[in-house]
């Protein structure tokens, strides 16, 4: 049973981190994966449509600033463009 759970959790991790992330090897995908998994599991770009991502990014900006993890504007721009391209 434990072994099954272990394999399952590996599959989930790979889905989020690996092949399933669009353009997984691009700098934008890497930046997104790094910045947006600091507090919770990385959300998949297809999870939301672009209007909802725009809202969510504003909320996350506040959360990150409140925790002293403010990101440069340029990084927000890259992550927003990535999510816009790959949104639901
Ligand atoms: C400073 C910590 C922090 C960082 C960094 C962060 N988030 Fe969040 N995020 C939260 C918290 C807190 C919540 C609400 C509680 C939860 O769902 O875990 C949340 C929730 C979310 C949700 C809703 C999750 C759900 O279950 O529906 C999404 C989507 C999301 N974040 C996207 C992002 C994206 C995109 C980034 C990168 C730009 C990011 N987060 C970076 C703290 C953070």
């Amino acid at each position: 049973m434990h072994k099954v759970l272990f394999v399952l959790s590996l599959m989930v991790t790979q889905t989020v981190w690996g092949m399933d992330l669009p353009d997984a090897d691009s700098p934008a995908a890497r930046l997104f994966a790094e910045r947006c998994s600091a507090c919770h599991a990385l959300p998949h770009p297809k999870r939301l449509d672009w209007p909802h991502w725009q809202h969510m990014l504003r909320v996350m900006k506040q959360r990150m600033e409140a925790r002293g993890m403010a990101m440069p504007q340029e990084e927000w721009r890259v992550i927003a463009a990535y999510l816009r391209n790959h949104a639901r």
Side-chain angles (χ1 to χ4, degrees):
M1 187 57 189
H2 280 183
K3 202 169 176 182
V4 172
L5 283 179
F6 178 67
V7 171
L8 271 181
S9 66
L10 270 186
M11 283 166 63
V12 171
T13 315
Q14 286 214 336
T15 307
V16 177
W17 286 101
M19 299 153 269
D20 198 37
L21 203 56
D23 289 341
D25 288 331
S26 69
R30 285 162 187 266
L31 186 67
F32 167 67
E34 189 183 321
R35 297 293 190 223
C36 303
S37 65
C39 301
H40 46 67
L42 186 66
H44 194 278
K46 292 271 178 265
R47 179 169 184 149
L48 299 174
D49 58 18
W50 172 235
H52 283 102
W53 274 124
Q54 281 178 294
H55 168 76
M56 214 58 223
L57 289 177
R58 278 195 293 272
V59 177
M60 290 306 126
K61 191 167 195 284
Q62 288 169 1
R63 294 235 157 95
M64 288 166 80
E65 283 168 3
R67 290 239 217 144
M69 296 168 68
M71 273 201 308
Q73 195 55 40
E74 175 60 17
E75 295 191 0
W76 282 110
R77 205 186 56 72
V78 170
I79 290 174
Y82 175 78
L83 288 173
R84 201 226 287 259
N85 284 340
H86 299 292
R88 185 187 286 177

